[in-house]
Amino acid sequence: VTTVASETALLSLLGEQPADHGLPAVFYGADDVHRLDLERIWRSSWVFAAHSCELRNQGDATVLQFGADSFILVRGGEDVVRAFRNTCRHRGSRILDRPATGLKALVCPYHQWTYSTSGRLLGCGGMERERTIQRESLGLHEVRVVEVGGLLFLAAGDDAPSIEQARSELERALRPQGLESAKVAARRTYRVRANWKLIWENNRECWHCHVGHPEYIRSNFDTALPSDPELGRRTSEINGNLSALGLELDHDEAGLAEFPTPDRWWSATRTPTTAGFVSESLDGRAVAPLMGDYAEADVGVLRARMLPNFWCHASSDHAVTTRLLPLGPGLTQVQVTWLVDAAATKGRDYELSRLLPFWQSTSEQDWTLCERAQRGVLDAGYEPGPLSPGREYNVIALLDWYRRALGNTSQSS
Amino acid sequence: VTTVASETALLSLLGEQPADHGLPAVFYGADDVHRLDLERIWRSSWVFAAHSCELRNQGDATVLQFGADSFILVRGGEDVVRAFRNTCRHRGSRILDRPATGLKALVCPYHQWTYSTSGRLLGCGGMERERTIQRESLGLHEVRVVEVGGLLFLAAGDDAPSIEQARSELERALRPQGLESAKVAARRTYRVRANWKLIWENNRECWHCHVGHPEYIRSNFDTALPSDPELGRRTSEINGNLSALGLELDHDEAGLAEFPTPDRWWSATRTPTTAGFVSESLDGRAVAPLMGDYAEADVGVLRARMLPNFWCHASSDHAVTTRLLPLGPGLTQVQVTWLVDAAATKGRDYELSRLLPFWQSTSEQDWTLCERAQRGVLDAGYEPGPLSPGREYNVIALLDWYRRALGNTSQSS
Amino acid sequence: VTTVASETALLSLLGEQPADHGLPAVFYGADDVHRLDLERIWRSSWVFAAHSCELRNQGDATVLQFGADSFILVRGGEDVVRAFRNTCRHRGSRILDRPATGLKALVCPYHQWTYSTSGRLLGCGGMERERTIQRESLGLHEVRVVEVGGLLFLAAGDDAPSIEQARSELERALRPQGLESAKVAARRTYRVRANWKLIWENNRECWHCHVGHPEYIRSNFDTALPSDPELGRRTSEINGNLSALGLELDHDEAGLAEFPTPDRWWSATRTPTTAGFVSESLDGRAVAPLMGDYAEADVGVLRARMLPNFWCHASSDHAVTTRLLPLGPGLTQVQVTWLVDAAATKGRDYELSRLLPFWQSTSEQDWTLCERAQRGVLDAGYEPGPLSPGREYNVIALLDWYRRALGNTSQSS
């Protein structure tokens, strides 16, 4: 547990830092800060857990773990997904180790205490007849979970902000993508030796893209000049395709959409792709059948994000989600998932060799940069440097969000 | 070193816990508790080290390590086994790394300081002529070791309780087994990612056996109902075979023998096996020649235990001992050893493929359960739950023993 | 950071220790001591970094890391080697991961901030036009580096003592060896699980050589008696060969040269070899062409040392350097490098199978002894023992140096 003294010192150090500079090293490597991050941010936020389609049927379950918190997510009666702490009320045993299907109940493998999929204690081997225990007080501890356009978010603590506005905005943006009727085509799970905030800082600017992401920069206008005539031409062209769906591009400038902002820890924007790119693939061509409501392939890319651990890039034919989970101050699990329409068949409708390379390369290039940044910020010679207002505005905004979240004063709802 | 403050807080937390509930998480995972466990229990108890038959001849030696304490056990002059701290009095080098035979003396491999097998400094390269040192004050630090019916127990600290009553009771029970004239037929050493107390809690109840140990439950009455007519029949049958040896079953109820008790941190009981099981083997048939004084195979199973780190199951033809050593708050080395009569020859008198599976399966099933329990009790959502008076009476007794041992107020002698 | 309280307690404990005994365990294993060692010794000393010949050409660079300090060494304009902290002034990224050649500038791989080889910020993507930053204040942090007879030493902190006298004495001794015109023929890098001081203690006595180094002891008089007639004979013989170079043996006694001394943390001595040994090779014969100014092979062995991390043994045909870098209280990286004349060709002029075995065996024998010592001094039963005035005089002197260095009162210049 973080002592009051060190917490005060840390928050004070954070407060003294100029807004347009990076953070002091301690925020990327100290155990005390990591505990504070877990407590103030990860346990007080809506955390992306899984895709609805991973729990398609009643009795499907999966597991989410970050810090010392493990949760079971299970689709139970009335087709509702619920989440419970993954520890038996008898002797604490971990109940579920990995995804499962066909569960009628949650049964602890140690002494077979049995809970319904809504967490109620159904049986404890008759122990309620031996001693004064009340079964109703020994159900699994439930935590909140919400479905948002095919994505499942979980709130470990009671003090997470309202997700209603985020849910409403994200659902509207995600609706045409059809993630509820998608399936997981592939997944890569990484152990990135970097603090989770460095991974976000990397995500929130594209200054590093020119040299760092030779494949990625060909597909978009993130690093284009505002005066680029192609930007206007492509925006008109794609908007033409989108109008039938009642959609339009809502981020057609060069550069990255502004995120986070003081009143938004979530966002979704639709962005134009460059000529020839109807999908984020190496050659720009589609790599899978159209998803959701799309009737045209050339509809730009839908990008969504939610702090502290989710972003995705969705083309008309596939979506790629990224989920961060902190394993330690200098270690983050990153899960990258490729989704396609549930009706698509591997080998006939799509090939992993065409589906994966674009985001696998781009992701792995980022992890390398983040790990090198981690080594550098923990160096005794590191001092926080100045950030560029023109190219790192979102990093500045991210650090502002972090300062407020850690001080726990103003996460807006 | 544990500070007084945290020790007081820990003992107070322990004292507040209801006797019929599990322990708070900190007792299974905190470094401070682990240090306290080492100091109050492991260094203040008789710890099972090795079998006498592993040091059969003069000059045989072995090594025992737990926490930061390493010891040499050596059979020296007058056929006595002695134990010494495994660090040279010159520059501290570890003296012995692994079991050895034929030692005339203990020689430090760094500068050849040489000690007798009773620990006396015999030579230090003539350094006693260079400066004022007294060889008699530079012998190896000796610790107490006792042989009990073929088992060697060591007391690291001076404050271990008297072992005389335990020795007397265990020797009487072990005498017919002939462990002194046994040999090690096989050994499996595990690194179990669980606190040592969780391994004991698992050992002290058989509620988990029905589902957890399909092989084990066939051989005994641990989970039988008291009214089971077979229990009475087998008890009579086996007692008939035992009477020639002047022995009889002393645990013929269903359920586990009560252990520990307020006045016993050791115990030995002889328990009936089910029909068809003359040995704890997969098919119930003997897997090796008779040991010790036994003239009949069907004599039940002798079970012995000593806290904090020993238990065994001995059939008429083989014995299986289990030794725990703590490597950290969440890591325990477990050594399982199969013994047969020293005169038995592998391939002729016994086969490992028949000797091992019963206890290897049962042991490994337990380690899996214990590791899952460890993950669960360290979960942020864990809270100690109620224990069953009918099936977990020994777990309740174990936690009572632990509370007293940690408070260091009443280990009986 | 070490708190004042623990620092005071540690220094007081160190001060109470008798000068002729080993150190208490805490000095070999505690994190607090390790931090103090890094701060008072490693960051306040001249640390051997690399050989000049590893940075032979302009644009050659290498990396040195110990503790949390990483440095780039680069040969830049005017043929000068400079050293910089290896962290970008922008967002802290590690700039260089491994040795490089042909560098015109130091370019951070994250956002391409570009620094000259003298550390000046040349470009930051035009950011100086966006906001008030002064390029001249954002150069790489430089640290001092000096070349001494083909060896590069770096001072991480500002408080390292003057190296002038050491440089002058070592250069005079190293001059005939020609290390500037050597090349690296082979290198072995070890992770030795021992505190760096135990490795020095091992290096500073040859009591362990008789049993520990059967190959090494054949080549020298380190363990000979002063009355050995061969010692005088070989001294005369070798001095005859050396006189043409204006050199002579300066350590011709039996036993090791005295090092360190109260006024020297460096030393270089030339020592006779035994009959038949013109080189430190298994058979005593030369294993490579003559180096530097030598015209005769039989010239003894030049040994140089500098605390806290360098020693070498140089024969007429090859030199072997050893560099220590602390990775933790119980872990040291040791790099052993074999150098031969730069003009020698592998396979024609030398073979690794003849060049390496002598020092590879001897080194690895030492690491085994040091690791066993580390395990022993961390044992709960360890207590510092008496040192031999006749055979461990240099260990006593080393511990005296350490006490003074840690107290930071009297490192002489």
Side-chain angles (χ1 to χ4, degrees):
Chain A
V1 178
T2 309
T3 63
V4 174
S6 77
E7 180 184 326
T8 306
L10 286 170
L11 295 176
S12 154
L13 175 61
L14 195 59
E16 290 160 13
Q17 201 59 16
D20 56 2
H21 277 63
L23 299 178
V26 70
F27 289 93
Y28 301 113
D31 286 336
D32 277 354
V33 167
H34 184 59
R35 278 190 289 266
L36 212 51
D37 281 6
L38 287 172
E39 182 186 318
R40 294 289 174 86
I41 294 178
W42 289 87
R43 305 181 76 184
S44 302
S45 297
W46 290 94
V47 168
F48 173 59
H51 305 86
S52 301
C53 66
E54 294 179 75
L55 303 179
R56 195 184 305 279
N57 303 309
Q58 286 195 22
D60 287 353
T62 193
V63 168
L64 178 79
Q65 174 147 16
F66 58 87
D69 295 272
S70 176
F71 304 96
I72 301 167
L73 288 95
V74 59
R75 186 176 296 274
E78 297 154 37
D79 206 33
V80 173
V81 175
R82 285 192 172 81
F84 305 101
R85 291 194 169 274
N86 191 1
T87 171
C88 184
R89 296 299 304 279
H90 175 215
R91 275 165 59 189
S93 177
R94 183 69 80 228
I95 294 170
L96 203 65
D97 282 330
R98 57 182 65 84
T101 59
L103 300 182
K104 304 288 188 213
L106 297 166
V107 182
C108 177
Y110 206 164
H111 304 92
Q112 285 69 52
W113 279 37
T114 301
Y115 306 88
S116 76
T117 54
S118 55
R120 197 158 47 89
L121 180 61
L122 298 175
C124 54
M127 198 171 127
E128 72 280 18
R129 292 187 299 272
E130 289 183 322
R131 52 177 292 180
T132 325
I133 66 167
Q134 294 173 304
R135 280 206 310 201
E136 49 275 30
S137 69
L138 287 170
L140 293 177
H141 290 299
E142 186 167 0
V143 298
R144 288 178 292 163
V145 60
V146 295
E147 291 200 60
V148 179
L151 305 170
L152 293 161
F153 294 88
L154 171 153
D158 295 331
D159 56 346
S162 166
I163 197 173
E164 287 315 310
Q165 189 179 350
R167 190 213 292 245
S168 146
E169 294 183 14
L170 288 176
E171 279 186 344
R172 191 169 58 240
L174 288 166
R175 191 167 305 131
Q177 193 69 36
L179 289 183
E180 297 89 341
S181 54
K183 70 171 186 182
V184 172
R187 174 167 279 165
R188 294 289 180 272
T189 303
Y190 301 94
R191 290 169 65 88
V192 180
R193 286 164 298 178
N195 185 273
W196 64 277
K197 298 184 289 292
L198 283 183
I199 299 177
W200 268 111
E201 293 180 25
N202 172 276
N203 175 268
R204 293 289 76 219
E205 49 88 4
C206 216
W207 188 356
H208 69 274
C209 294
H210 268 303
V211 172
H213 299 310
E215 297 85 0
Y216 176 74
I217 51 162
R218 295 179 58 232
S219 72
N220 58 60
F221 294 93
D222 290 4
T223 62
L225 296 175
S227 56
D228 188 334
E230 266 298 281
L231 179 54
R233 197 185 67 72
R234 283 290 289 154
T235 299
S236 303
E237 187 169 28
I238 293 169
N239 273 335
N241 292 335
L242 284 169
S243 59
L245 288 169
L247 298 173
E248 63 176 350
L249 296 176
D250 48 14
H251 182 70
D252 53 5
E253 319 99 293
L256 300 181
E258 287 183 27
F259 175 76
T261 59
D263 62 353
R264 292 280 193 289
W265 35 268
W266 67 89
S267 107
T269 48
R270 187 172 287 276
T271 306
T273 49
T274 52
F277 278 81
V278 302
S279 177
E280 288 186 332
S281 65
L282 287 186
D283 61 10
R285 290 186 293 144
V287 291
L290 290 176
M291 296 180 79
D293 302 335
Y294 298 124
E296 283 280 353
D298 193 16
V299 295
V301 170
L302 171 65
R303 305 182 186 183
R305 312 95 184 164
M306 192 185 291
L307 283 164
N309 85 326
F310 172 78
W311 66 79
C312 81
H313 273 235
S315 298
S316 54
D317 58 338
H318 76 288
V320 182
T321 64
T322 300
R323 185 188 78 177
L324 311 186
L325 293 174
L327 300 179
L331 188 64
T332 306
Q333 188 207 66
V334 186
Q335 193 182 72
V336 181
T337 304
W338 284 259
L339 299 119
V340 299
D341 187 82
T345 300
K346 186 164 85 167
R348 189 187 68 191
D349 299 320
Y350 67 95
E351 301 282 356
L352 296 187
S353 61
R354 295 196 64 233
L355 179 66
L356 269 61
F358 186 94
W359 272 110
Q360 185 168 354
S361 302
T362 302
S363 297
E364 294 174 6
Q365 288 155 0
D366 276 331
W367 314 155
T368 300
L369 292 171
C370 291
E371 293 188 342
R372 199 184 277 126
Q374 178 76 14
R375 292 199 297 280
V377 298
L378 295 189
D379 194 281
Y382 165 70
E383 57 180 293
L387 298 169
S388 160
R391 277 165 295 188
E392 293 170 312
Y393 46 91
N394 279 334
V395 178
I396 294 172
L398 176 77
L399 298 181
D400 179 57
W401 166 83
Y402 176 67
R403 275 183 199 94
R404 288 184 293 113
L406 211 65
N408 212 6
T409 54
S410 69
Q411 282 219 8
S412 90
S413 56
Chain B
V1 177
T2 307
T3 63
V4 174
S6 77
E7 181 184 325
T8 305
L10 286 169
L11 294 177
S12 156
L13 176 62
L14 195 59
E16 290 159 14
Q17 201 59 16
D20 56 3
H21 277 64
L23 299 178
V26 70
F27 289 93
Y28 301 113
D31 287 335
D32 276 354
V33 168
H34 185 59
R35 278 191 290 267
L36 212 52
D37 280 5
L38 287 172
E39 183 187 317
R40 294 289 174 87
I41 295 177
W42 290 86
R43 306 180 76 185
S44 301
S45 297
W46 290 94
V47 169
F48 173 59
H51 305 86
S52 300
C53 67
E54 295 180 74
L55 303 179
R56 196 184 304 278
N57 303 307
Q58 285 196 23
D60 288 351
T62 192
V63 168
L64 179 78
Q65 173 147 17
F66 57 88
D69 295 272
S70 175
F71 303 96
I72 301 166
L73 288 95
V74 60
R75 188 175 295 274
E78 298 155 36
D79 205 32
V80 173
V81 175
R82 286 192 171 81
F84 305 101
R85 291 193 169 274
N86 190 2
T87 171
C88 183
R89 298 298 305 277
H90 176 215
R91 275 166 58 189
S93 177
R94 183 69 80 229
I95 294 170
L96 203 63
D97 282 330
R98 57 182 64 84
T101 58
L103 300 181
K104 305 287 187 214
L106 296 166
V107 182
C108 176
Y110 206 165
H111 305 91
Q112 285 69 54
W113 279 38
T114 301
Y115 305 88
S116 77
T117 54
S118 56
R120 197 157 49 87
L121 179 61
L122 298 176
C124 54
M127 197 170 125
E128 73 278 19
R129 292 188 298 274
E130 288 184 323
R131 53 177 292 178
T132 325
I133 65 167
Q134 293 173 304
R135 283 206 308 201
E136 50 275 30
S137 68
L138 288 170
L140 293 176
H141 291 299
E142 186 167 0
V143 298
R144 289 178 291 164
V145 59
V146 295
E147 291 202 59
V148 179
L151 305 170
L152 294 162
F153 293 88
L154 171 153
D158 294 332
D159 56 347
S162 165
I163 197 172
E164 286 316 311
Q165 189 179 350
R167 191 212 295 243
S168 145
E169 295 183 13
L170 288 176
E171 278 186 342
R172 190 169 57 241
L174 289 166
R175 191 168 303 130
Q177 194 68 37
L179 289 182
E180 298 89 342
S181 53
K183 71 171 185 182
V184 172
R187 174 166 280 165
R188 294 290 179 272
T189 304
Y190 302 93
R191 289 168 67 89
V192 181
R193 286 163 298 179
N195 184 273
W196 65 275
K197 297 184 289 292
L198 283 183
I199 298 177
W200 267 111
E201 293 180 25
N202 172 275
N203 176 268
R204 293 289 75 220
E205 49 87 5
C206 217
W207 189 356
H208 69 273
C209 294
H210 268 303
V211 172
H213 299 309
E215 298 85 1
Y216 176 75
I217 50 163
R218 296 178 57 233
S219 71
N220 58 61
F221 295 92
D222 291 4
T223 63
L225 296 175
S227 56
D228 188 336
E230 266 297 282
L231 179 55
R233 198 186 65 73
R234 283 290 290 155
T235 300
S236 304
E237 188 168 28
I238 293 169
N239 273 335
N241 292 336
L242 284 168
S243 60
L245 288 170
L247 298 173
E248 63 176 349
L249 295 177
D250 47 17
H251 182 71
D252 54 4
E253 317 99 293
L256 301 181
E258 287 183 30
F259 176 77
T261 59
D263 62 353
R264 292 282 194 289
W265 35 269
W266 67 91
S267 106
T269 49
R270 186 170 289 276
T271 306
T273 49
T274 52
F277 279 82
V278 301
S279 177
E280 288 185 331
S281 65
L282 287 187
D283 61 9
R285 291 184 293 144
V287 291
L290 291 175
M291 296 180 78
D293 301 336
Y294 298 124
E296 282 279 353
D298 193 17
V299 295
V301 170
L302 170 65
R303 304 181 186 184
R305 315 93 185 165
M306 192 186 290
L307 283 164
N309 84 327
F310 172 79
W311 66 79
C312 81
H313 273 236
S315 298
S316 56
D317 59 338
H318 75 288
V320 182
T321 64
T322 301
R323 184 188 78 177
L324 311 186
L325 292 174
L327 300 179
L331 188 64
T332 305
Q333 188 206 68
V334 187
Q335 192 180 73
V336 181
T337 304
W338 285 258
L339 298 118
V340 298
D341 187 80
T345 300
K346 185 164 84 165
R348 189 187 67 189
D349 299 320
Y350 66 95
E351 300 283 356
L352 297 187
S353 61
R354 295 196 64 233
L355 179 65
L356 270 60
F358 185 94
W359 273 109
Q360 184 168 353
S361 302
T362 303
S363 298
E364 295 174 5
Q365 289 155 359
D366 275 333
W367 313 156
T368 299
L369 293 171
C370 290
E371 293 188 342
R372 199 183 277 127
Q374 178 75 14
R375 291 198 299 280
V377 298
L378 295 189
D379 194 281
Y382 165 70
E383 56 181 294
L387 298 168
S388 160
R391 278 165 293 187
E392 293 171 310
Y393 47 90
N394 279 334
V395 178
I396 294 172
L398 176 76
L399 298 181
D400 179 57
W401 166 82
Y402 177 66
R403 278 183 197 95
R404 287 184 294 112
L406 212 65
N408 214 4
T409 53
S410 69
Q411 283 218 8
S412 90
S413 57
Chain C
V1 178
T2 308
T3 62
V4 174
S6 78
E7 180 184 326
T8 306
L10 287 169
L11 294 178
S12 154
L13 176 60
L14 194 60
E16 290 159 14
Q17 200 60 15
D20 56 3
H21 277 64
L23 299 178
V26 70
F27 289 93
Y28 300 113
D31 286 334
D32 277 354
V33 167
H34 185 59
R35 278 191 289 267
L36 212 51
D37 280 5
L38 287 172
E39 182 186 318
R40 294 290 173 85
I41 295 178
W42 289 86
R43 305 182 76 184
S44 302
S45 296
W46 290 94
V47 169
F48 173 59
H51 306 86
S52 300
C53 67
E54 295 180 74
L55 303 178
R56 196 183 304 279
N57 303 307
Q58 286 195 23
D60 288 352
T62 193
V63 168
L64 178 79
Q65 173 146 15
F66 58 86
D69 295 271
S70 175
F71 303 96
I72 301 166
L73 289 95
V74 58
R75 186 175 295 275
E78 299 156 33
D79 206 32
V80 174
V81 175
R82 286 192 170 82
F84 305 101
R85 290 193 169 273
N86 190 3
T87 172
C88 184
R89 297 299 305 278
H90 175 214
R91 275 165 58 189
S93 177
R94 185 68 80 230
I95 294 171
L96 203 64
D97 281 330
R98 57 183 65 85
T101 58
L103 300 181
K104 303 288 188 213
L106 297 166
V107 181
C108 177
Y110 206 165
H111 304 92
Q112 284 70 51
W113 279 36
T114 301
Y115 305 88
S116 76
T117 53
S118 56
R120 196 158 48 88
L121 179 60
L122 299 175
C124 55
M127 198 170 126
E128 72 279 19
R129 292 188 299 273
E130 288 184 323
R131 52 178 291 177
T132 325
I133 65 166
Q134 293 173 305
R135 281 207 307 203
E136 49 275 30
S137 69
L138 288 170
L140 294 176
H141 290 300
E142 187 167 0
V143 298
R144 289 179 291 164
V145 59
V146 294
E147 291 201 59
V148 178
L151 306 170
L152 293 162
F153 294 88
L154 170 153
D158 294 332
D159 56 347
S162 166
I163 197 174
E164 286 316 310
Q165 188 179 350
R167 190 212 292 246
S168 146
E169 294 183 15
L170 289 176
E171 279 187 343
R172 190 169 58 242
L174 289 166
R175 192 168 304 131
Q177 194 69 36
L179 290 182
E180 298 89 340
S181 53
K183 70 171 186 182
V184 172
R187 173 167 281 164
R188 293 291 179 271
T189 304
Y190 302 92
R191 289 168 67 89
V192 181
R193 286 164 297 180
N195 185 273
W196 64 275
K197 297 184 290 291
L198 282 183
I199 299 177
W200 268 112
E201 292 180 26
N202 172 275
N203 175 270
R204 293 289 76 219
E205 49 87 4
C206 218
W207 188 356
H208 69 273
C209 294
H210 268 303
V211 173
H213 299 308
E215 299 85 0
Y216 176 75
I217 51 163
R218 298 178 55 232
S219 72
N220 58 61
F221 294 93
D222 291 4
T223 62
L225 296 175
S227 56
D228 188 333
E230 266 298 282
L231 179 54
R233 199 186 65 72
R234 282 291 289 155
T235 299
S236 304
E237 187 169 29
I238 292 168
N239 274 334
N241 292 336
L242 285 168
S243 60
L245 288 169
L247 298 172
E248 62 175 352
L249 296 176
D250 47 16
H251 182 72
D252 54 5
E253 318 98 293
L256 301 181
E258 288 183 28
F259 175 77
T261 59
D263 61 354
R264 292 282 194 287
W265 35 269
W266 67 90
S267 106
T269 49
R270 187 171 287 276
T271 306
T273 50
T274 52
F277 278 82
V278 303
S279 176
E280 288 185 333
S281 65
L282 287 186
D283 62 9
R285 290 184 295 145
V287 291
L290 291 176
M291 295 179 79
D293 302 336
Y294 298 124
E296 283 280 354
D298 193 17
V299 295
V301 169
L302 171 65
R303 305 181 185 185
R305 313 96 184 163
M306 191 184 292
L307 283 162
N309 85 326
F310 172 79
W311 66 79
C312 81
H313 273 236
S315 298
S316 55
D317 58 338
H318 75 288
V320 182
T321 64
T322 301
R323 185 189 79 178
L324 311 186
L325 293 174
L327 300 179
L331 188 63
T332 305
Q333 188 207 65
V334 187
Q335 193 182 70
V336 181
T337 304
W338 285 259
L339 299 118
V340 298
D341 188 81
T345 300
K346 186 164 85 166
R348 189 188 67 191
D349 299 320
Y350 67 95
E351 301 282 356
L352 296 187
S353 61
R354 295 197 63 234
L355 179 66
L356 269 61
F358 185 95
W359 273 110
Q360 184 168 354
S361 302
T362 302
S363 298
E364 293 175 5
Q365 289 155 359
D366 276 332
W367 314 154
T368 299
L369 293 170
C370 291
E371 293 188 342
R372 198 183 277 127
Q374 178 76 14
R375 291 198 298 280
V377 298
L378 294 190
D379 194 280
Y382 165 70
E383 57 180 292
L387 299 169
S388 159
R391 277 164 296 187
E392 294 171 310
Y393 46 91
N394 279 334
V395 178
I396 295 171
L398 176 77
L399 298 181
D400 178 58
W401 166 83
Y402 177 67
R403 276 183 197 94
R404 287 184 293 113
L406 212 65
N408 212 6
T409 53
S410 70
Q411 283 219 6
S412 89
S413 58

